[in-house]
Amino acid sequence: MCPPEQDRQSSTAIERLARCVEELLPPNVALMQFFIATRDEEEARRTLEAGIQSATLRHCGGALAKLQAMKALWDHAPDAYATIAAIHDLVRHAAEGAADSRIDQFADLFDRAAAISPAAGVALYSLGEPRLLDDATQEIVARMREWKVFNAATRVIEIGCGGGRFLSALAPLVGSVVGIDISENMLMAARARIAGLSNVMALRGSGRDLSAAGAGPFDLVLAVDSFPYLVDADVAETHFAECARLLSEEGWLLIFNFSYRGDLAADMKNVACLAARFGFSVLRNGTKDLALWDGTTFLLRRMPSC
C-alpha cells in the first residue's frame, strides 16, 4: 500500500490501515480489524479518507480499490463502527477474567453481544450486516458441499450454533441438524430463525462437553469459530473426545479456526496431535479456503475401527 501522510493522525491507525491493505484480507475483515485498531469513529473515518486520497494521488491502483471497497461497506453499514466497538469492548473485558470461570464469562459475553447485534455477535467481520453474514455462511456451505461432508441423510451437530445461521442453511440439505450453544440469548435468536423447520433443534449446552446432544450418532460435527473459546477455556481436548464419541464411523469433524493465539503452526500441531489421540485422520490442516472470511480450515475424519 502507498501509506497516507501522517499529518497529525494516529500512527497506529495508519499502520493498521496499511497492513489491512497489504495483507490478503477480504475488505470486510480488513475494515473490522481497522476499526479495532482506532481510538474512535472520527479517527477511523479521517484515516480512511486520507488513505484513499493518498492512494489516488500516488496512483496505487490496488490499494485504492481495496480502500474504496472498505469505504463502500462502511457507507452501506453506517452503524458498523459503533457495533464493532461495543462488541470488541465486551470481548476485551471478558478476556480479563479468571481462567477457571471462562465458560460462564463467555456465556455472559454472547448474551450481551446478542443484545447488541446477533450477526456481529457471532462474526465481527459481518459488521453487523445480516446480508454479509448470510453470504459468508453460504460460502462455507458451498465449501462443505465441495468436500462432500454431507448428503440428504447426514445427521449434523453444530458446536456453538449462535443465532442459527448454519442450522437454517443446512436444514434443507441434510437429514437433521442439532445446534448447541451456551448463550440463552443466542439460542432465542436461533429458535426464532429455525421456527417451522422440523429437522432442526437448538439446545443449551454446558460448554464443558457435548452431553446435551445425547448419545448420537452424528455424521458431521461442525464448529465455526467456536473452538477458540474451547481452547481458551481449556476444554478443547474434552470436545475432541466428545466428537469421537458422537460421530459415526468415518464421520466428519469440520473446524473453522482452532484458536485466536495467532500461531497457525501451533494450531496445526495441536490439531494433528488431538486427531491422532482420538482416532481422526486430518485432511485439511490450517488451510485458507474462503474469500469472505480469513478463517482457517481443519477438516478431519474419524478413522474406521480395525
Side-chain angles (χ1 to χ4, degrees):
M1 173 191 176
C2 299
E5 300 298 331
Q6 297 209 4
D7 188 24
R8 300 188 303 277
Q9 300 198 35
S10 163
S11 60
T12 300
I14 293 171
E15 290 167 3
R16 179 66 260 182
L17 183 62
R19 287 198 299 273
C20 285
V21 172
E22 290 167 357
E23 294 171 2
L24 297 177
L25 295 173
N28 56 308
V29 177
L31 188 61
M32 174 202 72
Q33 292 190 3
F34 172 59
F35 284 167
I36 290 172
T38 55
R39 293 173 300 192
D40 53 47
E41 187 167 355
E42 181 181 351
E43 179 190 59
R45 182 74 69 180
R46 188 173 63 245
T47 304
L48 182 56
E49 293 287 357
I52 291 172
Q53 183 179 19
S54 175
T56 301
L57 292 173
R58 300 183 189 192
H59 306 289
C60 300
L64 178 60
K66 189 163 187 179
L67 290 166
Q68 288 176 330
M70 291 166 65
K71 182 178 184 300
L73 283 171
W74 195 356
D75 289 343
H76 183 74
D79 296 329
Y81 188 96
T83 299
I84 298 303
I87 293 179
H88 184 255
D89 190 55
L90 291 177
V91 173
R92 184 168 54 82
H93 288 300
E96 295 171 353
D100 60 359
S101 60
R102 278 287 197 266
I103 293 172
D104 292 336
Q105 292 167 4
F106 290 146
D108 181 66
L109 162 66
F110 284 105
D111 278 344
R112 292 172 181 267
I116 296 170
S117 168
V122 296
L124 275 180
Y125 59 86
S126 73
L127 309 176
E129 285 291 291
R131 177 188 59 81
L132 279 175
L133 187 62
D134 287 345
D135 288 347
T137 302
Q138 290 303 322
E139 181 183 31
I140 291 173
V141 171
R143 293 292 176 274
M144 293 168 66
R145 192 194 298 271
E146 290 173 15
W147 299 330
K148 296 181 171 58
V149 299
F150 67 75
N151 57 42
T154 299
R155 298 159 295 185
V156 182
I157 179 171
E158 183 184 5
I159 303 173
C161 64
R165 59 179 176 134
F166 286 103
L167 303 184
S168 60
L170 289 171
L173 308 174
V174 301
S176 63
V177 193
V178 175
I180 295 179
D181 207 280
I182 59 173
S183 165
E184 191 57 50
N185 285 353
M186 284 293 181
L187 285 168
M188 286 174 61
R191 288 164 183 154
R193 184 165 188 154
I194 63 175
L197 298 176
S198 60
N199 63 337
V200 187
M201 290 191 297
L203 306 174
R204 179 77 178 267
S206 68
R208 293 168 175 80
D209 56 35
L210 297 176
S211 58
F218 294 90
D219 307 302
L220 167 63
V221 177
L222 175 64
V224 180
D225 233 8
S226 55
F227 255 87
Y229 300 97
L230 303 179
V231 169
D232 197 354
D234 198 27
V235 291
E237 183 175 322
T238 299
H239 277 75
F240 255 80
E242 287 285 82
C243 290
R245 174 181 70 84
L246 288 170
L247 279 169
S248 58
E249 191 168 283
E250 298 190 85
W252 301 91
L253 170 56
L254 177 56
I255 299 169
F256 286 95
N257 280 349
F258 182 72
S259 83
Y260 291 150
R261 59 190 160 190
D263 188 342
L264 181 57
D267 287 351
M268 294 167 65
K269 181 178 180 180
N270 286 167
V271 169
C273 288
L274 288 167
R277 180 173 180 182
F278 293 107
F280 290 94
S281 58
V282 181
L283 286 79
R284 307 184 79 82
N285 197 2
T287 56
K288 296 280 190 178
D289 301 300
L290 305 170
L292 300 177
W293 178 40
D294 60 337
T296 50
T297 308
F298 300 87
L299 177 61
L300 302 89
R301 195 168 196 183
R302 191 177 173 204
M303 292 186 291
S305 55
C306 297

